[in-house]
Amino acid sequence: MAKTYDYLFKLLLIGDSGVGKTCILFRFSEDAFNTTFISTIGIDFKIRTIDLDGKKIKLQIWDTAGQERFRTITTAYYRGAMGIMLVYDITNEKSFENIKNWIRNIEENASADVEKMLLGNKCELEEKRQVSKERGEQLAIEYGIKFIETSAKASIRVEEAFYTLARDIKAKMEKKLVSKLYTPRGGHQLKASELQKKPTSWLSRCTIL
Amino acid sequence: MPDCSENYEKEISDGKNARNIKCKYCNSVILTPSTAAFTSFEFQLPLIRQSKINEQNPETENVSLFWAVTDMFTFQNVGFSNTVGNNKYLTCADCEAGPIGYHDLSNKMSYVALSRVIHS
Ligand SMILES: Nc1nc2c(ncn2[C@@H]2O[C@H](COP(=O)(O)OP(=O)(O)OP(=O)(O)O)[C@@H](O)[C@H]2O)c(=O)[nH]1
Ligand SMILES: [Mg+2]
């Protein structure tokens, strides 16, 4: 059967225990009816289909188990991951400080071109905030990645975060594809029709560069 | 709810699902038309609600009508549970109701129970 999608992106959620990774990926758990079969065995990953600029994107999103620490997450875990959401809790200074360790771990174990994004979760808990938005932004700038504050509880910007990460991976892939098409020894002759298909994304790439 | 094959006849066209397959509870789209093959066999599928929690020995019901999906990325939206024995159970990606079916790790096939979803 023909493929029913244009891109497949594998995404991971990483961060300290308790920052809200599971709630971001799955349903916010306070109202979960936990006498069900599924809530006892737990969910491993989700497949979601989104539409970006007319392309069908399949997202396969994985949570990480609570006990795991950056010391124990190694290459096997990151295999195939194209995007990573780095999550901290804005009411927990330590979880923010540990982002640096998570990034180091990703650099040591994940593919070099994995797309990363920083999430400051629990942003609806303004009165308990320990990490200012500015510090989050600053850290993201330092690492050259995007940053967004979310709340899994209040459903604030969670979807936006996934769309943003997916859009960035897609842009990166299309950029790679174009450079491959333009490589003389790539063995693939560029057809006029292929070029004409993506005039808008080509333009937007130029403005990023 | 018992399976009733007569009710489902109009849902099958050319051996595939004629309409969208959606979650009973929240209407999330699980499979789009013509992406799953109708198949019939017997399977003991755990009940969505268990009267008491018993992971080793969940209460089940006999289910016999399924939509078979060969590539998991054919799903529009779906959740995969942690592994139990040789299977992963399928859930709605939005409200997490399930099992709506199961995924067989040995042959990589996914089966959605007709009785646990709606067609519209
Ligand atoms: N107020 C508030 N609480 C949240 C939010 N997201 C998650 N929580 C709560 O934070 C706690 C931890 O959330 P989890 O999603 O289990 O955290 P986790 O990152 O998966 O933790 P581990 O699985 O141990 O790594 C739970 O009690 C959630 O209810 C949020 O946006 N706001
Ligand atoms: Mg968790």
Side-chain angles (χ1 to χ4, degrees):
Chain A
M1 202 177 68
K3 266 212 286 190
T4 55
Y5 53 93
D6 299 298
Y7 292 108
L8 167 62
F9 299 157
K10 297 190 178 178
L11 311 181
L12 290 180
L13 287 151
I14 297 275
D16 279 8
S17 180
V19 297
K21 300 179 295 296
T22 302
C23 292
I24 286 170
L25 176 53
F26 306 127
R27 229 151 50 105
F28 184 74
S29 59
E30 257 170 13
D31 65 332
F33 38 111
N34 43 21
T35 54
T36 65
F37 178 69
I38 291 296
S39 61
T40 25
I41 55 175
I43 296 178
D44 191 18
F45 62 86
K46 279 188 181 175
I47 292 171
R48 283 187 180 279
T49 307
I50 63 170
D51 193 275
L52 281 182
D53 317 317
K55 295 269 189 245
K56 255 206 177 154
I57 319 268
K58 296 276 171 181
L59 303 179
Q60 187 182 27
I61 316 168
W62 303 76
D63 186 17
T64 50
Q67 317 86 301
E68 287 179 290
R69 293 278 176 276
F70 42 81
R71 292 163 212 92
T72 60
I73 297 185
T74 54
T75 319
Y77 193 78
Y78 290 113
R79 188 165 299 138
M82 298 150 90
I84 298 177
M85 290 288 193
L86 284 147
V87 189
Y88 69 91
D89 170 356
I90 67 145
T91 70
N92 180 340
E93 173 74 33
K94 189 89 188 100
S95 73
F96 180 70
E97 283 164 15
N98 266 335
I99 290 292
K100 288 198 164 83
N101 294 320
W102 285 110
I103 290 185
R104 193 174 320 128
N105 189 256
I106 292 166
E107 283 166 353
E108 284 166 6
N109 296 293
S111 128
D113 63 353
V114 67
E115 196 70 36
K116 297 179 283 290
M117 183 162 175
L118 184 63
L119 299 191
N121 191 41
K122 309 196 187 179
C123 74
E124 94 287 357
L125 292 177
E126 200 50 64
E127 73 285 0
K128 288 192 183 161
R129 181 189 283 275
Q130 292 185 355
V131 184
S132 71
K133 195 174 171 193
E134 290 67 35
R135 287 174 67 205
E137 283 165 350
Q138 199 48 49
L139 189 70
I141 290 169
E142 216 175 286
Y143 287 103
I145 62 181
K146 286 199 178 147
F147 168 67
I148 220 171
E149 283 194 343
T150 58
S151 167
K153 181 171 187 175
S155 297
I156 300 171
R157 288 186 291 272
V158 172
E159 200 166 302
E160 183 186 335
F162 283 106
Y163 270 80
T164 304
L165 186 61
R167 186 169 278 117
D168 289 350
I169 299 171
K170 177 171 169 281
K172 187 180 266 184
M173 287 187 65
E174 284 172 351
K175 194 166 155 184
K176 267 194 203 163
L177 189 72
V178 168
S179 65
K180 222 195 267 171
L181 290 172
Y182 281 108
T183 306
R185 285 180 298 143
H188 179 89
Q189 274 286 352
L190 181 67
K191 293 189 213 84
S193 60
E194 277 176 286
L195 253 185
Q196 280 159 4
K197 260 188 216 159
K198 298 171 183 125
T200 48
S201 49
W202 173 241
L203 269 178
S204 60
R205 255 192 313 278
C206 288
T207 57
I208 291 165
L209 297 168
Chain B
M1 194 170 42
D3 283 346
C4 177
S5 43
E6 276 100 324
N7 286 348
Y8 292 121
E9 232 159 68
K10 66 175 192 316
E11 299 303 341
I12 307 165
S13 119
D14 268 347
K16 300 237 168 122
N17 58 309
R19 301 195 285 173
N20 274 314
I21 295 172
K22 294 184 178 178
C23 173
K24 265 186 185 181
Y25 303 93
C26 75
N27 245 7
S28 170
V29 177
I30 300 160
L31 286 159
T32 50
S34 198
T35 53
F38 177 76
T39 175
S40 178
F41 60 89
E42 308 258 300
F43 187 84
Q44 289 295 324
L45 196 61
L47 298 176
I48 293 180
R49 276 177 191 279
Q50 304 277 318
S51 60
K52 58 179 195 302
I53 297 306
N54 186 343
E55 274 181 70
Q56 259 60 50
N57 243 324
E59 300 162 82
T60 63
E61 69 176 350
N62 192 40
V63 175
S64 60
L65 306 177
F66 293 95
W67 294 116
V69 176
T70 45
D71 173 3
M72 66 163 82
F73 298 112
T74 301
F75 282 102
Q76 194 74 5
N77 296 292
V78 76
F80 279 65
S81 79
N82 288 318
T83 302
V84 180
N86 202 29
N87 299 323
K88 282 180 176 292
Y89 291 99
L90 305 177
T91 75
C92 170
D94 285 311
C95 72
E96 293 172 12
I100 53 168
Y102 72 101
H103 174 80
D104 186 333
L105 288 166
S106 58
N107 64 6
K108 305 268 190 273
M109 290 291 293
S110 302
Y111 301 98
V112 175
L114 271 71
S115 60
R116 300 247 177 128
V117 291
I118 53 165
H119 304 82
S120 74

